[in-house]
Every structure is written in C-alpha cells, then in structure tokens.
C-alpha cells in the first residue's frame, strides 16, 4: 500500500510539474502574441494523431530512453553522470567504424556486432569517469563534462579527416554511410519506426529487473543511498560505482549506436543535438524508475516531434518547447516546495510521517 | 506564583503528537529534572521554551508575565539559555569567536579583546576557566560543555536548559558538572535538566517532572533516599523489568584474539596503540571508555573496515588481519555498528530490503546473483516476530520506525544469523528502558547459545551489568582487564580517565 502510494505520488509530482509548465508557457506565449490553445492543439495533434505522427514521436523517444537510463543508473549509485553526450558520441563512433569498415557480414551478425561495439565504446568511456573517481577522487561532475568536450571534438576531427567520405559529391564533413547489412530494420512499413524501439523496451525491462532483482542492483542502490552502510555490509563502493558508470556509458553508447544504425546512417558533426542532456531531464521527470523513464521519454519525444508541426501551423517558434522542458525540470527539482502539502491534502487519511519527531 | 510556568502545551508534528497538554512549573533557583523515556516529549517541550518551534497551543509564563517566543532570540532576550545534547560549536574557531556568535554589538567593528576580557571575568566568577583564544577543537568534551554553558551565561541566561548533558562525560566529569550546576543555582540560576538516568536525578535535582507519551505524569520533590523504582514505574507507566536474566558465564574456546594491534586514524594520529585481548565463546567482554579513546577504530579493525598498521587479529583460529569486511563476516561474525542510521540501515529502503543488508549475497536470499524477495520476506517476518519489531508492514521504510524499533531490527537481524562472534557497539544507545533491557537480554541469550560477544559502550551501567569481563580503554591502550565481580564505578571511572595506581597514563 505504502509502495503504491509512493509510486502514485511520483506520478502525481510529474503530472503537476507538466501542468504547471504548460500553464506558464501558455501565459508566455500569450504575452508574445500567440494563441496558446491553438499552439497546444497543434503540438498535440502533430505528435500523436495519426500513425506517422505517433511513430515519429516514438522514433524521437528511443534515444532519450537510453540517455535517460544512463543518467538514472549512475544516479542510483550516487553519481551524477553529465557525460551521456560524450558516451553517446563514442558509442556512435565505434558503431560507425564497425558499420562502415567491417564488410562481408550478414545482417544477423553485423547489426549485433555494431550495437555491441557502440555499447562497449560508451561503457569504456563511462568507465574512465569511474576510474578517475576511484583513483584520484576526481569529481564526476567535472570529468564527465570535460570528457563530453573531448568526445565531440574527437568525432569532429575524425569526420573531417581520416573518416571523411571523399567519394561523396558534397565535401560535407561526414563519414561514409553505414553498410546496408548493419542498418537496423524498420518494424512498421511506411514509417521510420525501427527495431531500436524494441531494444529500448528491452533495456527498460532489463534495467528494472537488474535494479530490483539482482544482487548487483541491490548493491548499487545501497551504495547510492548510504555508502557507509554499504561498506559495513562488505560492499565495495568503488567497484559498485565503477560498474554503474560502465552500465551508464553502455546505455548512452547504445543511444548513439541506434541513432547511427537506424536514423543518421552517417557519423557527422554534432549529430546528436541535445540528446545527452535531455536524458537527464527524462530521468529526473521519471524519478529514475523504469516505467517513469519510458513515459517521460515518450513525452519528450512527443514534444520535440509536435513542436515542428506547431511551428508550421501556429507560427509559434519551436524553441518554446525547450522553454517548457526547462520549466518542467524546474518544477520536478523544486517539487519539495509544493508536492508534499498538495499530495497530503489529496489523501488526508494517509498522512506521511516523514517529519522528524524529536524525542 | 511559580517563577516559570508552561501551561497546557500542545505540539504536533504531522500526525504525531509530541506534546499533548504538558504543564510544568519551576521555582527560581532549583534544579528541575525533566524525566521521561525517549519520545516522551522532553526535548520538544524544551525546544518550545527555547523558541526553536512554536507551540500549537498553551502558554508560557515567566514571573507571571506571558511570553511570546517567535524564535530563539526572544528566548535569549528573556534570559533563557539552552545547551543541546549535540554541541552547537564551530570547532575551527576560537572559544571567544564561538561565544560572541549571534551577539548584536557594534555592527561594523568586532572588538574581540574587550569581549574576551568580559568573558574571562564571567568564567572566573563561576570558576570555569576556559582560554578564550583556544581553538574549540582542542578542548576536551567536558571543556566544550563548560563553554556551551558559559556561552549561555554570557548572553545573560538565568534559566539554563541542559539536554542530556551527561551522555558524553566520564563519571568524574559528571561530578564536576554537578558541582558546577549547584554553584550556578546558588548564584541565582535556574536549571532545567533533561535526562533519563535515574541516579543522576537522585544526585543533583531538587524536583522533577515526569513526562510520558507527551503528557505530564506528575511533578514531585526529590528527597534524599527517594525510591528510584517508583520513578521508573511512573516514567514507563507499568511495572518494569529492570533485572537482567543472566547466569554465570561458561566460557569455551577462544573465538577472537587480538595481538599487538596498532592502527592510525585517517588524520595519521595513532588511535590504537598495541592492544592485546581475546574473547572466548560463551562470554561477554565489554569495552568501556570515554568516546574517542580508540574503541571505534579497534572495532573497525576487527570488522575489516580499517586496515591495522601492525598486529594480528584472528577469528576462530583464522588469521584475519587486514582481511576485507566480507571475508570477516563469512567467518560467522555479526556486527551491530555504532551508528545505526549511518552504518546499519538504509533508511529510505523498506524493512525487507534492510533485513538482508548484511547477507544479501548468500542463500537462500540470493541464488546465482538473483534475489528472492520471498525468502527475504520470510526471514524478515520471523525476525520482526522474534525480536518484537513494531511495524505496520515489511514494505514500510525504515525511517518511519522509531529509533528503538530500528535498533531491534538491527539486533534481530544480526542475532538471527546465529553468530560465532557478535560485535555490538553501543547496542542500546538512545533507547528507552524497556527496549534497552530487551536488547541486553537478547545479547545474553546469544551468549548462552555459545556466541562470543565483544561489546563497546560508553554507559558504565550497561558495561558493568552485561559484561563478564571488562576492558577499559584510554588513549588507545587497554588500561585494565577486570572481572565483572571486581568492577566498581570508582575503579572504572578512574581508569577511564587514564589514572592507574594513582598515576596518569598516556601522553
């Protein structure tokens, strides 16, 4: 019962945050001279109504699920992984190398190999953070940000140098195209919906099982919530956090990998936009819980998809969506200001007794 | 008309009633004890008097005048001072800097010298010299407490609230504190003294008010030769079982042996300096000493949390010096850590998840890396039943339990493993009489089942009652190894202060 209550309270907070963000964004749009109701109508319409709109939202959601999981799993172990961007680029890079230069494989081998390369690349890049933290007590906030720079610049250099596609007509800095045998298949004809969606669902399920049902997930959670209790119970905080960073990097690497194999098909400069940092927002809104991440990734995918339609039909600049996403995060982070009182007001018979009672 | 009166005070936190119609009346110049179990509402009441939080209803009268306390500033302005159980001092600053903290003087100029002069005068008046230029972290605990009292007096406190002041002191220091308290009341101060230790009340107080479950039970004068048992009954509300069920020990073979152990704290200071002792199965060995004399580091070495710099630890004949925590736990060692919330439980997790904390990777809870919550639930239910952990369901978060129930959970979890060696550090710290006796009896029962028990406690009573042998630690060394029958308060107190055969030991 308590469990269910806690879960419901998480959804409640998320819903209130979204609602408040919508209201405030609406007021701002009104102030700028737009019709917010029309904008929201177009946004919603463009994101979910019709097969192509809906499938496009799901396509946008897929990488966010992975970067969300990346932030969440590190967070559960007590680390703040701001490095999903870097891990994603390294993942995409490794995948591209396998997808372009390894030839002669059937798809059944080439796709898994390319995905595994991306996952491993991201994981290794994430492990660097864990290593630096364990060995030199380097703060992961700083190392992850710095490693982001290194990874993106590395990709920039490579696609304008050794990996540059010289055969193409344009001299655009980009790699050769991924071979057909490595391209992720579509799963719905007439749309861009690809097998990466299934992988995302699988990843979320694995994440849930891992956290709740395995001893490593248990270790990870204990380390994240109370490291000194973890030590007393004989867990190694360092090793556990290293594992968390490996997995976090792996998830982010897969995000890049799948983007490459299903959507972009060529490595190019700053192809990932904001995917890395949006993952933080997804994880925060989803409360680091599997179902929460899935839903909030869908919401963010929907918003980014619908915003184009909104811009076209209501003239509202799509940047408004970033504003709204920012507000959502502000309200989620600042939930302690309002959520408890509101929630308790809704369920008066089950007041939480979290308040400290001094003896 | 009493000097200070609190009438019909009520205070709730969420749905918990901390004070429910409490009344208190104190005469000028008395040492008034506030007696009650944990959670009886003593600290809440005093925090209300000190302006820390407002009462929901009720009134406070000082000299017949009603007080409205919006914050601690108002309380201080009305001559009310409080010494908290955990000192409110900044260790990196000097004594005088701590004293003037929060004082309003000239807003632009800080005249520390003048303040220090006034402070020294005040301290001399009460015979409690403290060097105003000394850094606080160089003071002993007793001196820090003196400083806290002086801090309040410096702000012209006439009513002094002392919240469990004796918890951190040696018996000798306690006597010093009591002398100081008498002197303060002689010069016109009024003292409110929070405690749950009965002998102290008999020693120093003139009157006491007993609280139980947020209500005033009674207020009575303390006459010489008053009956402790009666106070205990009124405090607990029922006949209490104060006796321990303890028969003579039948020590068996040696389970733990520590030889020549040295270890350093993280700041490089040697905390344990050459300790030798052994614990045999079927006996309880108690380590007593003032907090911070190396007990904590010694235990951390034995449980594998700290690597000793020299010496040997063997458990059941296996050399375990420098072994990891897990290897040591696997030897059949159970550990009740010193700090419950920090080391023994994860307070956000539910009861079930906490029940498996120390053996989460062993059968039947863990198979091939996968956890069986069904097995965990079965174990958890059994422990809660056997050790009387009061809870509404196993999916409750541990932080929703009271401190006593959390500790029962920890003790139960460790004893349910049927350990060969039980290491219990402050097993009953902060618990009320009922829970304390229950836990102590459980530990004795474990001993009678053949466990070797190594216990650390700062409470002399606990060590003296529970142990078969007592080791006194001072300054990283073991001062003495005394049989229970030979131990007296005076003897142990002197050893705890580092006095052996009339001489002061240590550096």
């Amino acid at each position: 019962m308590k469990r269910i209550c806690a879960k419901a309270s998480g959804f409640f907070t998320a819903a209130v945050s979204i609602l408040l963000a919508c209201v405030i964004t609406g007021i701002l749009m009104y102030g700028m001279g737009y019709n917010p109701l029309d904008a929201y109508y177009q946004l919603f319409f463009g994101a979910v109504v019709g097969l192509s709109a809906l499938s496009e939202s799901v396509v946008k959601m897929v990488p966010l699920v992975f970067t969300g999981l990346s932030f969440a799993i590190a967070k559960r172990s007590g680390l703040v992984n701001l490095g999903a961007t870097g891990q994603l680029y390294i993942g995409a890079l490794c995948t591209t190398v396998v997808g372009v230069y390894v030839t002669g494989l059937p798809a059944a081998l080439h796709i898994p190999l390319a995905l595994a390369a991306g996952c491993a690349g991201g994981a290794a890049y994430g492990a660097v953070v864990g290593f630096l933290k364990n060995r030199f007590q380097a703060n992961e906030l700083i190392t992850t940000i710095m490693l982001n720079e290194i990874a993106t610049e590395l990709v920039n250099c490579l696609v304008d140098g050794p990996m540059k596609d010289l055969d193409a007509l344009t001299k655009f800095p980009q790699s050769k195209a991924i071979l057909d045998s490595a391209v992720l298949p579509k799963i719905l004809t007439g749309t861009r919906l690809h097998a990466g969606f299934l992988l995302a669902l699988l990843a979320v399920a694995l994440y849930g099982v891992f956290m709740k049902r395995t001893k490593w997930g248990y270790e990870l959670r204990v380390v994240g919530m109370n490291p000194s209790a973890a030590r007393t119970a004989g867990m190694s905080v360092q090793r556990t956090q290293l594992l968390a960073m490996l997995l976090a990097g792996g998830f982010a690497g897969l995000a890049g990998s799948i983007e490459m194999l299903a959507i972009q098909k060529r490595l190019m400069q700053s192809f990932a936009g904001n995917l890395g940092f949006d993952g933080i927002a997804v994880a925060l809104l989803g409360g680091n819980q599997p179902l929460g991440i899935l839903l909030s990734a869908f919401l963010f995918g929907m918003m980014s998809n619908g915003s184009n339609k909104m811009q076209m039909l209501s003239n509202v600049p799509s940047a408004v969506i970033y504003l709204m996403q920012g507000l959502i995060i502000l309200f989620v982070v600042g939930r302690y200001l309002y959520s408890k009182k509101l929630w308790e007001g809704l369920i008066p018979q089950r007041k939480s007794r979290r308040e400290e009672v001094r003896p | 008309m009493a000097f200070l009166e609190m009438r019909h005070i009520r205070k709730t936190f969420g749905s918990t009633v901390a004070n429910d119609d409490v009344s208190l009346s104190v005469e000028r110049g008395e040492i008034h004890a506030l007696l009650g179990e944990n959670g009886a509402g003593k600290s809440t009441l005093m925090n209300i008097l000190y302006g820390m939080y407002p009462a929901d209803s009720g009134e406070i009268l000082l000299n017949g005048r009603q007080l409205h306390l919006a914050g601690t500033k108002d309380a201080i302005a009305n001559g009310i001072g409080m010494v908290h159980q955990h000192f409110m001092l900044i260790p990196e600053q000097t004594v005088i800097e701590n004293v003037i903290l929060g004082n309003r003087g000239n807003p632009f100029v800080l005249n520390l010298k003048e303040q220090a002069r006034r402070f020294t005068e005040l301290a001399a008046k009460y015979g409690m010299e403290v060097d105003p230029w000394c850094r606080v972290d160089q003071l002993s605990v007793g001196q820090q407490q003196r400083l806290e009292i002086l801090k309040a007096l410096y702000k012209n406190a006439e009513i002094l609230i002392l919240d469990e002041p004796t918890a951190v002191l040696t018996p000798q220091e306690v006597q010093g504190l009591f002398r100081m308290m008498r002197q303060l009341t002689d010069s016109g101060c009024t003292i409110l003294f929070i405690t749950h230790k009965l002998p102290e009340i008999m020693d120093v107080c003139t009157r006491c008010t007993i609280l139980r479950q947020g209500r005033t039970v009674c207020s009575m004068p303390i006459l010489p030769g008053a009956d402790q048992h009666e106070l205990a009954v009124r405090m607990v509300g029922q006949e209490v079982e104060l006796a321990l069920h303890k028969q003579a020990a039948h020590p068996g073979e040696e389970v733990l042996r520590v030889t020549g152990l040295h270890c350093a704290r993280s700041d490089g200071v040697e905390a344990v300096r050459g300790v030798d002792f052994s614990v045999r199965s079927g006996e309880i060995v108690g380590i007593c000493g003032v907090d911070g004399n190396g007990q904590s580091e010694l235990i951390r070495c034995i449980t594998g949390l700290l690597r000793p710099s020299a010496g040997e630890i063997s458990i059941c004949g296996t050399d375990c010096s420098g072994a990891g925590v897990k290897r040591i736990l696997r030897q059949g060692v159970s550990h009740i850590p010193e700090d419950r919330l920090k080391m023994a439980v994860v307070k956000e997790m539910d009861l079930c998840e906490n029940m498996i904390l120390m053996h989460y990777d062993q059968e039947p809870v863990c198979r091939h890396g996968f956890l069986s919550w069904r097995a965990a639930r079965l174990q958890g239910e059994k422990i809660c039943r056997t050790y009387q952990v009061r809870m509404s369901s196993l999916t409750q978060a541990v932080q929703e339990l009271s401190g006593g129930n959390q500790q029962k959970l920890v003790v139960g979890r460790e004893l349910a493993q049927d350990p060969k060696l039980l290491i219990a550090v402050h097993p009953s710290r902060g618990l009320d009489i009922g829970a304390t006796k229950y836990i102590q009896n459980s530990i004795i029962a474990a001993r009678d089942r053949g466990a070797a028990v190594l216990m650390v406690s700062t409470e002399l009573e606990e060590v003296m009652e529970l142990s078969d042998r007592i080791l006194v630690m001072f300054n990283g060394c073991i001062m003495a190894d005394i049989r229970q029958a030979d131990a007296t308060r005076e003897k142990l107190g002197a050893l705890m202060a580092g006095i052996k055969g009339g001489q002061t030991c240590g550096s």
Side-chain angles (χ1 to χ4, degrees):
Chain A
M1 184 65 202
K2 274 256 161 64
R3 261 283 141 84
I4 297 166
C5 247
K7 277 222 168 116
S9 133
F11 283 115
F12 172 74
T13 315
V16 171
S17 305
I18 294 164
L19 199 70
L20 284 172
C22 283
V23 169
I24 293 182
T25 318
I27 293 171
L28 287 171
M29 283 197 277
Y30 185 73
M32 290 186 280
Y34 303 113
N35 178 355
L37 289 178
D38 182 48
Y40 283 141
Y41 173 74
Q42 299 298 356
L43 177 70
F44 186 74
F45 202 84
V48 293
V49 178
L51 190 64
S52 72
L54 192 61
S55 66
E56 201 54 27
S57 290
V58 173
V59 166
K60 291 255 182 346
M61 152 199 184
V62 168
L64 292 175
V65 170
F66 283 100
T67 51
L69 287 174
S70 168
F71 183 81
I73 201 162
K75 190 76 192 53
R76 293 298 283 277
S77 80
L79 296 176
V80 181
N81 176 24
L82 301 180
T85 307
Q87 294 143 17
L88 181 150
Y89 272 92
I90 296 296
L93 173 65
C94 296
T95 293
T96 310
V97 169
V98 173
V100 172
Y101 300 108
V102 177
T103 52
L105 287 179
L109 275 179
H110 206 179
I111 294 173
L113 191 65
L115 286 171
C119 184
Y125 209 58
V128 172
V129 177
F131 170 77
L132 290 175
K133 188 171 179 83
N134 290 346
R135 190 82 173 73
F136 305 106
Q137 283 90 48
N139 188 327
E140 80 276 6
L141 289 175
I142 298 174
T143 52
T144 47
I145 292 266
M146 292 303 159
L147 286 167
N148 283 350
E149 296 300 311
I150 295 172
T152 46
E153 295 306 328
L154 178 70
V155 168
N156 285 353
C157 291
L158 287 174
V159 295
D160 209 4
M163 285 176 74
K164 189 167 175 174
D165 182 7
L166 299 170
D167 306 334
L169 297 170
T170 57
K171 288 291 167 257
F172 200 69
Q174 59 181 17
S175 75
K176 284 193 186 125
I178 302 280
L179 297 175
D180 281 344
S181 57
V183 170
L184 271 175
K186 303 255 184 309
I187 53 172
L188 203 57
T189 43
T191 68
R192 291 207 297 165
L193 191 62
H194 54 79
F197 174 58
L198 303 177
L199 290 176
L201 293 180
L202 186 68
V204 168
L206 283 178
Y207 170 76
V209 170
F210 176 80
M211 291 313 272
K212 187 70 196 165
R213 296 257 163 210
T214 69
K215 74 169 188 178
W216 303 283
Y218 179 78
E219 279 179 344
L220 212 138
R221 288 187 293 142
V222 172
V223 164
M225 285 193 262
N226 188 343
S228 49
R231 273 186 214 104
T232 311
M235 301 173 190
S236 160
V237 173
Q238 297 199 335
R239 215 182 308 145
T240 307
Q241 290 190 330
L242 185 67
L243 173 72
M245 277 317 296
L246 261 169
L247 293 171
F251 279 131
L254 277 175
S257 201
I258 291 168
E259 272 299 276
M260 222 21 76
L261 298 181
I263 307 293
Q264 309 279 351
K265 316 246 171 71
R266 282 172 191 274
L267 189 61
M268 49 189 132
Q269 297 184 345
S270 51
F271 74 93
N274 244 347
L275 286 178
F277 282 98
D278 283 352
I280 301 173
V282 166
L284 277 172
L285 184 64
N288 298 330
Q289 298 296 330
L291 187 58
I293 290 171
L294 201 63
L295 291 177
S296 61
F298 180 65
L299 177 79
F300 276 66
M302 223 175 84
M303 281 175 16
S304 105
N305 180 30
S307 66
N308 297 327
K309 187 97 182 251
M310 180 180 81
Q311 183 163 12
M312 278 190 288
L313 297 176
S314 317
N315 289 325
V316 180
S318 61
V320 161
I321 289 307
Y322 297 122
L323 200 150
M324 195 161 132
Q325 290 175 352
L327 282 170
I328 292 177
I329 294 317
L330 271 184
F331 286 118
V332 171
V333 174
R335 64 184 173 276
Y336 298 107
L337 294 178
Y338 61 85
S339 73
K340 205 168 146 209
K341 284 239 165 75
L342 263 175
W343 178 244
E344 281 179 4
L346 285 179
I347 310 194
Q349 74 277 17
R350 290 200 65 90
K351 278 191 175 168
S352 93
R353 271 199 234 167
R354 291 284 155 83
E355 251 173 302
E356 199 179 337
V357 180
R358 311 220 165 197
Chain B
M1 171 62 63
F3 174 55
L4 170 75
E5 262 191 276
M6 298 180 82
R7 288 185 186 160
H8 310 297
I9 301 288
R10 184 180 164 84
K11 175 77 189 169
T12 55
F13 295 97
S15 61
T16 313
V17 184
N19 281 167
D20 182 13
D21 190 25
V22 179
S23 296
L24 173 73
S25 133
V26 182
E27 300 297 335
R28 186 187 277 276
E30 69 178 358
I31 300 180
H32 194 109
L34 212 52
L35 180 65
E37 292 195 284
N38 283 303
K42 299 167 299 204
S43 293
T44 307
L45 186 68
M46 289 300 103
N47 282 326
I48 290 172
L49 180 58
Y50 190 49
M52 303 266 281
Y53 15 84
D56 296 346
S57 63
E59 51 183 7
I60 304 171
L61 298 165
L62 183 65
N63 271 328
R65 196 168 46 85
Q66 194 161 354
L67 290 187
H68 297 283
L69 303 172
T72 50
K73 266 196 190 124
D74 292 346
I76 292 167
N78 281 296
I80 300 169
M82 182 158 180
V83 176
H84 291 86
Q85 195 176 354
H86 304 283
F87 301 148
M88 306 282 181
L89 295 169
I90 303 168
E92 292 81 13
Q93 289 197 321
T94 62
V95 167
I96 189 65
E97 282 170 329
N98 269 284
V99 168
I100 61 160
L101 193 69
N103 279 14
R104 284 288 165 82
N106 185 322
F108 301 109
V109 186
L110 185 62
N111 189 348
L112 271 184
K113 273 197 184 136
E114 168 60 18
Q115 306 260 25
R117 195 183 56 72
R118 277 180 45 207
F119 172 76
T120 317
E121 266 174 28
L122 176 88
K125 191 175 134 198
Y126 292 104
M128 308 192 244
E129 273 80 7
V130 180
D131 175 11
W133 304 108
C134 188
R135 264 174 60 142
V136 166
D137 52 12
Q138 286 164 354
L139 299 180
S140 73
V141 177
Q143 282 174 314
Q144 289 187 13
Q145 189 169 55
R146 220 174 295 164
L147 170 58
E148 279 277 24
I149 294 173
L150 284 169
K151 220 169 90 179
L153 295 174
Y154 193 76
K155 291 173 180 163
N156 301 313
E158 290 184 327
I159 300 170
L160 209 54
I161 305 165
L162 305 178
D163 190 353
E164 302 203 15
T166 55
V168 289
L169 303 179
T170 62
Q172 278 79 2
E173 282 177 312
V174 170
Q175 288 311 316
L177 174 74
F178 287 174
R179 266 200 305 282
M180 211 146 65
M181 285 164 65
R182 288 194 197 97
Q183 199 188 352
L184 284 169
T185 49
D186 287 344
S187 56
C189 268
T190 307
I191 294 177
L192 276 158
F193 180 61
I194 304 181
T195 184
H196 53 234
K197 295 184 194 165
L198 297 169
E200 289 177 354
I201 292 181
M202 299 298 166
D203 254 17
V204 72
C205 297
T206 42
R207 241 150 55 88
C208 91
T209 297
I210 300 177
L211 300 186
R212 185 170 71 230
Q213 287 164 4
R215 293 167 183 272
T216 315
V217 176
C218 67
S219 192
M220 58 199 279
I222 303 286
L223 304 168
D227 186 9
Q228 277 194 36
H229 192 71
E230 189 194 335
L231 285 180
V233 170
R234 292 194 176 208
M235 180 164 93
V236 183
Q238 58 196 5
E239 272 300 313
V240 278
E241 178 75 78
L242 289 177
L244 289 175
H245 306 286
K246 188 175 171 217
Q247 265 105 42
H250 301 289
E253 65 215 62
E254 190 174 276
V255 175
L256 172 72
R257 164 153 287 285
V258 174
T259 13
L261 193 78
H262 284 261
C263 99
R265 272 204 309 259
S266 50
D267 57 2
V269 179
E270 189 154 64
V272 177
R273 322 160 170 233
V275 164
D276 302 275
F277 68 91
S278 70
V279 185
R280 298 200 282 165
S281 81
E283 72 168 348
I284 301 178
V285 174
I287 296 180
C288 74
V290 179
D291 247 349
N293 273 292
Q295 305 97 313
S296 170
E297 286 79 7
L298 172 65
I299 295 300
R300 290 164 66 85
C301 279
I302 298 174
T303 51
L305 287 164
L306 200 66
R307 191 169 279 272
S309 45
E312 220 172 274
I313 298 165
S314 71
I315 297 169
C316 299
T318 325
D319 180 26
C320 286
S321 9
V325 176
K326 245 181 207 161
R327 220 190 98 201
I328 289 171
L329 292 180
R330 291 279 159 70
Q331 301 280 327
V333 177
S334 276
H335 180 197
I336 301 170
E338 55 184 318
D339 190 327
R340 180 168 60 235
L341 284 177
K342 224 173 133 197
M343 297 169 74
V345 297
V346 183
K347 61 180 194 291
E348 300 89 348
M349 280 186 163
D350 68 24
L351 263 65
C352 211
E353 288 170 309
N354 271 287
M355 285 295 183
I356 64 168
L357 185 62
M358 298 301 245
H359 54 275
Y360 65 96
D361 53 355
Q362 278 164 347
E363 302 237 4
V365 172
C366 180
R367 284 216 178 97
H368 314 298
F370 283 89
L371 299 177
S372 157
W373 290 112
R374 215 158 62 93
R377 229 172 356 256
L378 285 176
Q379 284 191 359
E381 270 161 16
K382 203 169 144 213
I383 290 170
C384 286
R385 223 178 313 118
T386 320
Y387 292 89
Q388 299 174 8
V389 182
R390 254 174 279 159
M391 44 97 193
S392 57
S393 99
L394 279 174
T395 54
Q396 219 179 345
V398 160
Q399 61 192 350
E400 291 168 26
L401 298 183
S402 73
N405 277 310
Q406 288 172 358
Q407 186 72 2
K408 281 186 196 167
L409 181 152
V410 173
V411 172
R413 179 180 75 197
E414 299 311 320
L415 292 183
Q417 296 294 305
D418 248 321
K420 284 190 207 130
L421 172 63
L422 172 67
I423 293 169
V425 189
H426 309 308
S428 58
R429 182 182 262 183
L431 301 188
D432 57 41
I433 294 186
T436 300
K437 291 297 155 197
Y438 188 78
I439 282 172
Q440 290 176 343
N441 279 320
S442 307
I443 291 174
I444 292 171
R447 176 201 77 169
D448 293 341
R449 286 197 301 269
V453 182
L454 179 64
M455 181 185 72
V456 176
S457 177
T458 44
E459 301 280 339
L460 263 188
E461 267 74 25
E462 183 168 43
V463 174
M464 285 171 60
E465 274 181 44
L466 212 55
S467 319
D468 301 311
R469 273 193 303 133
I470 300 170
L471 308 175
V472 185
M473 267 193 99
F474 172 74
N475 206 8
C477 301
I478 287 181
M479 300 287 287
D481 183 343
I482 305 172
R483 283 188 315 164
Q484 182 188 24
D486 303 332
T488 62
R489 284 187 72 81
E490 290 70 29
K491 209 166 169 182
L492 293 178
L495 288 165
M496 279 162 76
I499 302 161
K500 195 175 189 178
Q503 278 190 324
T504 310
C505 304
S507 57

